[in-house]
Amino acid sequence: MSEHIFADGSYVLLRDRDGVWQVTGRSGQRSELKACHSRQRASVSNSEIARAMAPDAVLQEAVERIGSVRTIQAPSNKVRREFYKQAMDAFDELEWVRVIKTAYLRGKDHCAQPYEEAYSQRAKSYLHGQLAIALYIPLEQVEQYITQKVESDEW
């Protein structure tokens, strides 16, 4: 994968750290970052940056498609865990919706495994973090926004 250099002020997602980060500067092959929804700061190699924040239209489409996104189906917990990992590694909004939706519904049915909540929280940190920035709303209000959008849609 080629390394991209992101301009100061760009929003990015990191491979091994949750949430959305903003580029605050560069030093050689490293980017200086600050977390958008916490006080964390980091200096990472450019190869640790997975990608830029998705465009607003992609984020809106992900929310609009929540009702039609299929959940993860697996014959065993071992396979399900691998499907969760693959979905997260794709760095794709619709895959994060799949993870969140699957974990939510399995939790509601009281059959979720502990790892599912961890994957769901990580998916939310990426998806909700981007939505908060795109919609100019606090992170704490994103879930309510999504719920209202999903409930207002007629399936």
Side-chain angles (χ1 to χ4, degrees):
M1 177 176 241
S2 63
E3 290 185 16
H4 298 284
I5 297 178
F6 295 93
D8 289 2
S10 297
Y11 294 104
V12 298
L13 305 177
L14 301 179
R15 294 182 199 293
D16 295 323
R17 297 181 197 211
D18 297 350
V20 181
W21 296 75
Q22 187 174 32
V23 177
T24 59
R26 288 180 308 283
S27 176
Q29 293 298 310
R30 299 190 69 76
S31 291
E32 305 300 321
L33 308 171
K34 70 174 183 172
C36 293
H37 303 291
S38 74
R39 295 183 178 264
Q40 295 179 335
R41 293 193 171 271
S43 176
V44 299
S45 68
N46 293 332
S47 64
E48 293 176 70
I49 298 174
R51 66 172 175 83
M53 185 174 118
D56 293 359
V58 170
L59 296 168
Q60 289 293 342
E61 180 185 356
V63 172
E64 290 169 6
R65 292 182 59 189
I66 288 174
S68 63
V69 170
R70 294 184 58 164
T71 58
I72 295 171
Q73 303 295 314
S76 69
N77 281 321
K78 182 178 180 182
V79 173
R80 184 176 299 103
R81 185 178 216 144
E82 184 59 32
F83 285 163
Y84 274 99
K85 183 181 177 335
Q86 289 172 359
M88 292 303 299
D89 289 347
F91 278 89
D92 179 81
E93 284 69 23
L94 290 175
E95 289 298 315
W96 294 327
V97 167
R98 285 182 71 211
V99 168
I100 296 165
K101 187 174 181 177
T102 302
Y104 171 77
L105 292 174
R106 287 180 49 79
K108 205 170 167 184
D109 290 341
H110 305 290
C111 59
Q113 298 296 307
Y115 69 85
E116 292 179 272
E117 180 61 23
Y119 277 112
S120 178
Q121 289 303 316
R122 187 162 191 221
K124 285 180 181 180
S125 78
Y126 289 130
L127 181 63
H128 292 192
Q130 292 180 96
L131 283 166
I133 292 166
L135 298 170
Y136 302 100
I137 62 174
L139 184 62
E140 299 78 29
Q141 293 179 9
V142 171
E143 197 146 339
Q144 178 183 4
Y145 167 82
I146 292 171
T147 300
Q148 289 173 341
K149 289 291 281 183
V150 170
E151 288 175 353
S152 70
D153 287 341
E154 294 184 21
W155 308 111

